[in-house]
Amino acid sequence: MERNFDSFYQEVKGYVDTSRLYVDELRRLTYGTDAGFYRLNPQIVVRSNSEEEVQQVLLSASKYGMPVTFRAAGTSLAGQSITDSVLIIAGKNWEKYTIHGQGELISVQPGLTGARVNQLLKPYGRKLGPDPASINSAMIGGIVMNNASGMNCGTHENSYQTIHSARIIFADGTLLDTSKDESREAFMVSHKVFIDKVIQLRDRVQNNKELKQRIIKKYSIKNTTGLSINPFVDFTDPFDIILHLMVGSEGTLGFLSEITLKTIKEPNCKSTSMMYFTDIRTACEAVVEMKKEPVFSAEMLDRVALKSVENEKGIPPFIKNFGPDVTAILIETFGDSPKEIGENIRKIISVTDRYSMVKPVEFTSDPELYQQYWNIRKGVFPAVGGLRETGSTCIIEDVAFHIEDLPAATKELQELISRFGYKDGVIYGHALEGNFHFIINQNFNKPEELDIYQKFMHEVDKLVVDKYDGSLKAEHGTGRNMAPFVKHEWGEAAYQLMVDVKDLFDPNCLLNPGVIINADPNCYIKNFKHLTPVHPIVDKCIECGFCEINCLTAGFSLSARQRTVTMREITRLIDTNQDPARQHVLEQDFQYYGMDTCAGDGLCATSCPVKIDTGKFIKVLRAKQVVDPKLQKQSQWVADHFYTVGTLIRGGLKMVNGVHYVMGASLLGGIASTFRKISGNKLPQWTPWMPTGVSGPKPLSVNPNNPLKVVYFPSCIAQTMGAAKRDKDRRPLHIVTQELLMKAGYEVIYPENMSSLCCGTPWESKGFEEHANQKSSELEAALFKASNRGEYPILCDTSPCLYRMRKVMEPKLKLYEPVEFIDTFLMDKLQFEKVDEVVTIHSTCSTTKMGLTGTLQRVAEACACKVVLPDEVGCCGFAGDRGFNFPEVNAYALRKLRPVVEKEKAIAGYSNSRTCEIGLSENSGIPYASIIYLVDRVTSSK
């Protein structure tokens, strides 16, 4: 059937809000990108939010011949979540869940990440079976649809083994709930021919002894090559077969709108060890023997893999001195008690003692060190991708061997990679299951390079399939990447079974065509991405999407990954002069989606394995936009006359606050909203939580004989913005801070010319780097003098300001953020009396990046009986003054805050940035103030 996009789009507009239908160049490009190395641009992106919508879209797609692909997080690696037709996103609108009983079962919509599900299960002592390295970012829909496994679950606790039931939407729009008798009975009536065909296929397998044995053998190790046809061996009930056929089907058979999974018990005790063997074969031989002992995971990292992460936190420095063949095995063992763990370790060491190692074996149960090891392991793929030559493509393959073949097969694989010239080729992965990933960095810019890759893949096929009868895809899914090799791996009978299953579920071949079943033998060497160099800050990006869990605008405008994708495409179009019109459209739309709505908080770097700070990159782009001499002159004037600017801001805030008292919030809000609309949103948004203006503090006399001295720098925000009308404590922050410090016995020293000083953050965020540095230099000189050349500690009351100060100022200055200073210097000098209240706290982006979230929580828990740190609330998105100009970003970032506040019945919130607190108050309905207010309220002098 010929595609009819126009008719399809017009029909879909009738039942899907146009705000969730993307047909523009920018979002088709960015949402069409996944972690793999292929690119197709969808004609339309549908941000679905209900089963009914998906059913209707599938009916319309069938009517107009439009192929459909489903996408959750887009962390897939084999080209299974891209399309040139209709892309249905089932991510942030699909986050509902139900925990059953004591957590033995959990029903989840496809948009929750695996890590979030484990977080929900933690109070029950349970977790998911699948534990892929991408679990922090990968969503349940993708985890199940790719039959993800991971580092501990092997084949016994993967998605296939732990799925209990599901709500399935078929190509014809029919919904089947396999957990409900009435749904199964209705399906039996409406789809009798379908059920009969499933039974026929089951009987065909059961009556073919050779095929049945082939299936059993192939699934005795990890295998995601082709469709999961093992249900025809493992089950007799047709509904059980249908359910399990969906696992690993990569969206080619239907859509899972809800998945119920069996969970597993979280072990009471665990211990881990990073073991270092002399070479890869010795390491594999040791793993074969360790599999007989209480080892629950054994992750291998060859020397190149170790090199990619040797500079990461927690990696011991001696690794840099290892020889070229040293191979690490990361071991994990579980137990119900420390005694059992000790016995397990004894058994494991009795095995490893027989093999040549370069370091003695050491185990640890320290959670922090333990987690560092596993974070390093999870970050290998992106880290290796970050080491690649700029412009080249990072390719990760995923094979499995039978455990007895592991040593010989791994050594041959290593030699094969070397023979084809992949000097940076890496082998790592789940050695205990015979499952390895190998990474090569490939440049496809020249035909000869493509020829090398093609020949290499055929040699891999011969090694894995012909010599060792292994799996070409163990857990990453088939996608387009391995589709041409499915028939060779499985044989004619099994492949035909897969084709028949596909024809049954999707007779018009509209569900993710080209994935798993593909007649084109060259589909795996077509439609490669262009990773065009843009800027050193982002050129290492492999578009894995790990950044998106910490990008506050992911799902709203663009994510950090999508910003890089856009700039790569714009740069490519500029370099090639290929399509100036498309280039112009992308540049125009990127202004709002990429530039204006980026908070620049840098939290994306905290989950990026190569620490790419896309916010920093956006600031570089902003700097290019402000090179106009007129703008530079205006910025310089503000920097040189900062006292005057502060005075004007104070006056303006006092005036608006006075009007607020006279008119009331409702009337003033309506007038302000009208003027903002008339201005084209150029006027800032007014909120009832807007503070009044205040004057800065006055210098104090200091007792030279008191050894307790602190330099207090009230940020420019604290010197201009006071309390809001609804705030309970109307005192300015600098007064509260001063009184708290004096209560603890400190002499408070203020830097000279306080009202003219600033850390430079307002200029930095807008791209005026020179003026930002001017202001921070002025402040640094004043603090150096006030602190007696760095002798006294320096407190800044605003966390984001302190963060920049630490970045740009000399380390001889002892700079402290509010909770850090309180925790370090005041806890033992004050008497705390907890208030019987429920309070929430917010860790600003700067607090998080400085590793002080735990400190914030600890200080708050010394003050209140119950402290709530809301889950899934990261950076608030206010970003200085950006929250006034783009309040929609602030509202989106905090969309999950109010439900937590209302559920917990919190009466107040605390943070450490005045502007952030304005947005937090607006979007929570309770007043937020500096944590200093709470500490001052509950303390007295000792």
Side-chain angles (χ1 to χ4, degrees):
M1 183 188 300
E2 186 177 345
R3 298 183 188 182
N4 188 337
F5 172 75
D6 291 337
S7 298
F8 170 80
Y9 179 56
Q10 292 304 318
E11 184 163 302
V12 172
K13 281 202 303 182
Y15 53 81
V16 178
D17 192 290
T18 53
S19 66
R20 293 185 285 107
L21 292 177
Y22 305 153
V23 293
D24 56 283
E25 289 282 352
L26 178 70
R27 288 179 291 181
R28 288 194 298 115
L29 166 71
T30 54
Y31 280 92
T33 297
D34 69 4
F37 51 95
Y38 302 103
R39 184 176 320 283
L40 292 172
N41 285 345
Q43 288 182 269
I44 180 173
V45 177
V46 183
R47 294 290 302 278
S48 63
N49 69 358
S50 68
E51 290 177 337
E52 293 74 20
E53 276 190 356
V54 173
Q55 289 176 284
Q56 289 178 296
V57 171
L58 288 176
L59 288 171
S60 298
S62 180
K63 182 178 178 180
Y64 297 110
M66 297 295 294
V68 173
T69 294
F70 305 106
R71 157 82 63 78
T75 58
S76 49
L77 297 163
Q80 58 265 64
S81 61
I82 59 173
T83 180
D84 61 359
S85 184
V86 180
L87 182 66
I88 297 181
I89 303 290
K92 292 185 181 294
N93 293 334
W94 296 80
E95 298 178 312
K96 295 177 182 176
Y97 65 90
T98 302
I99 296 174
H100 305 278
Q102 294 303 305
E104 296 89 354
L105 292 175
I106 185 167
S107 298
V108 193
Q109 287 191 324
L112 280 178
T113 66
R116 175 59 178 155
V117 174
N118 281 341
Q119 187 181 33
L120 295 168
L121 291 169
K122 190 172 183 179
Y124 300 88
R126 313 287 296 184
K127 66 176 182 176
L128 292 175
D131 60 337
S134 59
I135 195 167
N136 289 341
S137 301
M139 294 175 179
I140 291 296
I143 288 173
V144 173
M145 276 299 199
N146 286 282
N147 192 17
S149 45
M151 292 169 281
N152 286 321
C153 71
T155 57
H156 58 288
E157 291 172 344
N158 61 9
S159 301
Y160 180 88
Q161 296 292 348
T162 57
I163 193 168
H164 175 270
S165 59
R167 293 174 67 84
I168 306 169
I169 300 177
F170 292 84
D172 63 1
T174 301
L175 173 65
L176 167 66
D177 187 338
T178 66
S179 70
K180 298 284 194 303
D181 289 341
E182 57 270 29
S183 181
R184 293 158 68 114
E185 290 166 4
F187 194 85
M188 285 281 287
V189 174
S190 64
H191 287 68
K192 183 179 184 304
V193 175
F194 186 100
I195 292 293
D196 289 344
K197 182 65 175 176
V198 171
I199 294 171
Q200 290 171 19
L201 292 173
R202 177 200 66 192
D203 293 345
R204 188 168 102 195
V205 173
Q206 292 292 337
N207 294 328
N208 186 331
K209 184 177 180 180
E210 184 179 350
L211 175 58
K212 183 177 179 179
Q213 289 303 313
R214 178 71 177 151
I215 292 172
I216 292 171
K217 182 182 180 183
K218 290 293 290 179
Y219 288 110
S220 66
I221 61 174
K222 287 186 179 183
N223 192 320
T224 58
T225 308
L227 292 170
S228 302
I229 53 176
N230 41 337
F232 294 114
V233 172
D234 297 336
F235 303 97
T236 56
D237 182 275
F239 289 101
D240 286 336
I241 293 172
I242 291 168
L243 172 66
H244 288 84
L245 281 170
M246 296 299 295
V247 179
S249 63
E250 302 174 28
T252 63
L253 303 182
F255 175 75
L256 297 181
S257 60
E258 182 184 86
I259 305 147
T260 300
L261 294 163
K262 293 174 280 189
T263 65
I264 64 174
K265 185 176 179 294
E266 183 76 63
N268 293 331
C269 302
K270 49 191 174 183
S271 188
T272 190
S273 174
M274 188 76 88
M275 302 178 176
Y276 304 100
F277 294 85
T278 53
D279 59 84
I280 200 166
R281 180 156 192 153
T282 301
C284 290
E285 289 171 349
V287 169
V288 173
E289 291 304 309
M290 281 192 283
K291 192 172 176 69
K292 303 170 187 176
E293 303 299 340
V295 173
F296 294 92
S297 61
E299 296 294 301
M300 190 187 81
L301 294 88
D302 73 0
R303 183 65 186 94
V304 183
L306 287 173
K307 184 175 180 61
S308 74
V309 294
E310 64 185 17
N311 292 315
E312 293 294 315
K313 180 183 178 183
I315 282 285
F318 58 73
I319 285 180
K320 295 180 181 180
N321 300 321
F322 281 164
D325 299 320
V326 173
T327 300
I329 302 289
L330 178 57
I331 297 294
E332 186 169 59
T333 184
F334 300 151
D336 289 329
S337 67
K339 181 179 179 182
E340 184 179 350
I341 288 290
E343 182 61 23
N344 290 352
I345 291 173
R346 187 191 65 76
K347 292 177 181 178
I348 295 168
I349 291 178
S350 71
V351 171
T352 58
D353 278 348
R354 303 199 295 266
Y355 294 92
S356 178
M357 307 181 75
V358 295
K359 294 284 291 185
V361 173
E362 295 179 359
F363 276 83
T364 181
S365 295
D366 178 357
E368 186 174 344
L369 184 57
Y370 179 96
Q371 196 57 51
Q372 281 178 0
Y373 283 152
W374 284 102
N375 287 342
I376 287 163
R377 159 60 188 89
K378 293 175 182 180
V380 168
F381 166 49
V384 173
L387 296 176
R388 76 189 190 285
E389 177 188 344
T390 300
S392 63
T393 300
C394 182
I395 298 173
I396 181 169
E397 295 297 348
D398 169 42
V399 300
F401 302 106
H402 296 275
I403 192 68
E404 62 271 16
D405 297 325
L406 189 66
T410 306
K411 183 62 177 173
E412 288 183 55
L413 178 60
Q414 188 180 55
E415 291 170 351
L416 180 63
I417 292 170
S418 177
R419 190 164 73 245
F420 272 82
Y422 296 111
K423 295 179 181 178
D424 295 329
V426 172
I427 299 178
Y428 73 108
H430 320 307
L432 200 66
E433 302 299 329
N435 170 204
F436 284 137
H437 310 314
F438 64 91
I439 305 172
I440 57 174
N441 291 323
Q442 178 73 58
N443 195 322
F444 290 117
N445 295 328
K446 300 176 183 178
E448 58 268 28
E449 295 291 333
L450 179 60
D451 184 57
I452 290 172
Y453 174 70
Q454 191 170 10
K455 289 178 180 176
F456 171 70
M457 288 306 300
H458 281 283
E459 288 300 314
V460 170
D461 181 31
K462 289 179 185 178
L463 174 68
V464 176
V465 175
D466 295 339
K467 187 166 185 179
Y468 291 106
D469 197 18
S471 308
L472 285 168
K473 282 293 182 184
E475 59 177 4
H476 289 171
T478 305
R480 289 171 169 76
N481 180 218
M482 209 53 71
F485 301 94
V486 175
K487 186 175 182 179
H488 178 231
E489 177 175 327
W490 274 97
E492 183 66 47
Y495 184 73
Q496 186 57 51
L497 178 63
M498 294 178 191
V499 171
D500 291 343
V501 169
K502 172 67 174 173
D503 289 343
L504 173 62
F505 279 75
D506 183 22
N508 296 321
C509 199
L510 293 179
L511 298 182
N512 216 2
V515 169
I516 298 180
I517 306 296
N518 195 318
D520 182 359
N522 293 319
C523 68
Y524 73 107
I525 52 172
K526 295 179 178 178
N527 302 306
F528 290 121
K529 280 181 180 177
H530 296 283
L531 299 181
T532 307
V534 173
H535 190 280
I537 293 176
V538 296
D539 283 343
K540 289 183 178 182
C541 175
I542 60 168
E543 302 176 10
C544 66
F546 286 12
C547 58
E548 293 185 342
I549 57 169
N550 284 317
C551 177
L552 69 96
T553 54
F556 174 70
S557 53
L558 295 180
S559 69
R561 165 169 65 172
Q562 291 172 326
R563 288 181 170 94
T564 299
V565 167
T566 307
M567 286 309 301
R568 280 176 169 165
E569 182 64 2
I570 289 172
T571 304
R572 186 186 72 83
L573 292 172
I574 292 172
D575 292 346
T576 61
N577 196 29
Q578 184 178 337
D579 191 341
R582 182 166 178 262
Q583 172 198 326
H584 176 71
V585 168
L586 289 174
E587 289 175 330
Q588 196 171 41
D589 288 349
F590 188 70
Q591 182 60 48
Y592 176 78
Y593 291 104
M595 300 282 281
D596 294 343
T597 57
C598 178
D601 55 40
L603 285 183
C604 49
T606 63
S607 55
C608 171
V610 288
K611 305 297 182 285
I612 295 171
D613 185 345
T614 308
K616 185 177 180 181
F617 171 59
I618 293 299
K619 291 171 185 175
V620 170
L621 298 181
R622 288 173 182 164
K624 293 180 180 179
Q625 293 184 337
V626 295
V627 295
D628 182 283
K630 184 177 179 181
L631 294 174
Q632 289 290 325
K633 189 175 181 180
Q634 291 172 350
S635 174
Q636 185 67 65
W637 188 91
V638 173
D640 293 340
H641 300 82
F642 197 59
Y643 173 83
T644 302
V645 171
T647 302
L648 293 172
I649 292 173
R650 288 185 200 97
L653 288 172
K654 287 179 180 178
M655 181 185 71
V656 171
N657 195 61
V659 174
H660 183 193
Y661 270 94
V662 174
M663 288 188 172
S666 180
L667 180 57
L668 179 56
I671 294 172
S673 178
T674 300
F675 276 106
R676 177 169 162 78
K677 288 178 182 177
I678 292 172
S679 73
N681 290 339
K682 287 187 171 66
L683 286 176
Q685 173 175 278
W686 180 84
T687 164
W689 297 98
M690 191 77 79
T692 188
V694 294
S695 298
K698 296 178 180 178
L700 301 172
S701 60
V702 176
N703 178 4
N705 297 319
N706 187 349
L708 294 180
K709 294 183 177 64
V710 59
V711 175
Y712 170 35
F713 168 58
S715 67
C716 55
I717 294 172
Q719 293 186 60
T720 53
M721 292 185 176
K725 179 183 176 183
R726 299 183 182 182
D727 288 339
K728 293 179 181 179
D729 193 332
R730 305 281 300 163
R731 294 176 298 164
L733 174 59
H734 59 78
I735 296 298
V736 179
T737 305
Q738 177 181 297
E739 291 178 358
L740 176 65
L741 293 170
M742 295 175 71
K743 187 194 304 182
Y746 275 88
E747 301 294 324
V748 179
I749 303 169
Y750 288 106
E752 295 176 358
N753 302 316
M754 276 181 294
S755 298
S756 297
L757 299 176
C758 179
C759 67
T761 297
W763 286 269
E764 180 191 39
S765 66
K766 294 175 175 58
F768 296 99
E769 190 67 28
E770 181 182 347
H771 303 143
N773 292 335
Q774 172 191 328
K775 297 307 294 182
S776 58
S777 294
E778 292 171 0
L779 175 59
E780 182 176 14
L783 293 176
F784 187 71
K785 181 179 179 181
S787 65
N788 195 25
R789 304 174 66 84
E791 177 184 353
Y792 311 137
I794 300 167
L795 168 66
C796 176
D797 54 30
T798 302
S799 181
C801 301
L802 190 280
Y803 180 72
R804 172 172 166 83
M805 290 160 64
R806 276 191 173 162
K807 279 196 308 179
V808 300
M809 293 183 183
E810 286 291 330
K812 66 181 71 172
L813 294 179
K814 303 167 187 173
L815 301 167
Y816 289 90
E817 190 258 13
V819 293
E820 188 180 25
F821 187 88
I822 292 167
D823 187 57
T824 305
F825 296 105
L826 302 189
M827 298 294 283
D828 63 339
K829 297 178 179 65
L830 296 170
Q831 187 69 42
F832 283 76
E833 186 174 346
K834 287 187 180 184
V835 291
D836 188 14
E837 296 175 0
V838 179
V839 302
T840 61
I841 55 174
H842 178 77
S843 180
T844 60
C845 51
S846 51
T847 301
T848 301
K849 288 187 289 187
M850 288 187 288
L852 295 173
T853 302
T855 307
L856 172 63
Q857 188 156 4
R858 185 164 59 250
V859 169
E861 286 172 347
C863 301
C865 289
K866 184 173 182 181
V867 176
V868 178
L869 179 63
D871 293 332
E872 299 185 288
V873 178
C875 176
C876 70
F878 211 89
D881 63 351
R882 201 160 290 270
F884 294 123
N885 298 310
F886 302 99
E888 64 273 25
V889 176
N890 184 226
Y892 179 78
L894 298 178
R895 67 195 183 281
K896 296 184 179 182
L897 177 59
R898 189 181 291 263
V900 176
V901 167
E902 293 175 349
K903 178 184 176 183
E904 299 290 347
K905 296 182 171 55
I907 63 169
Y910 297 94
S911 189
N912 46 26
S913 171
R914 188 69 188 97
T915 51
C916 295
E917 289 150 16
I918 295 169
L920 289 161
S921 301
E922 173 70 15
N923 289 284
S924 69
I926 61 173
Y928 269 78
S930 170
I931 187 72
I932 295 172
Y933 283 87
L934 178 61
V935 175
D936 180 62
R937 180 157 67 97
V938 305
T939 57
S940 57
S941 298
K942 274 193 175 181

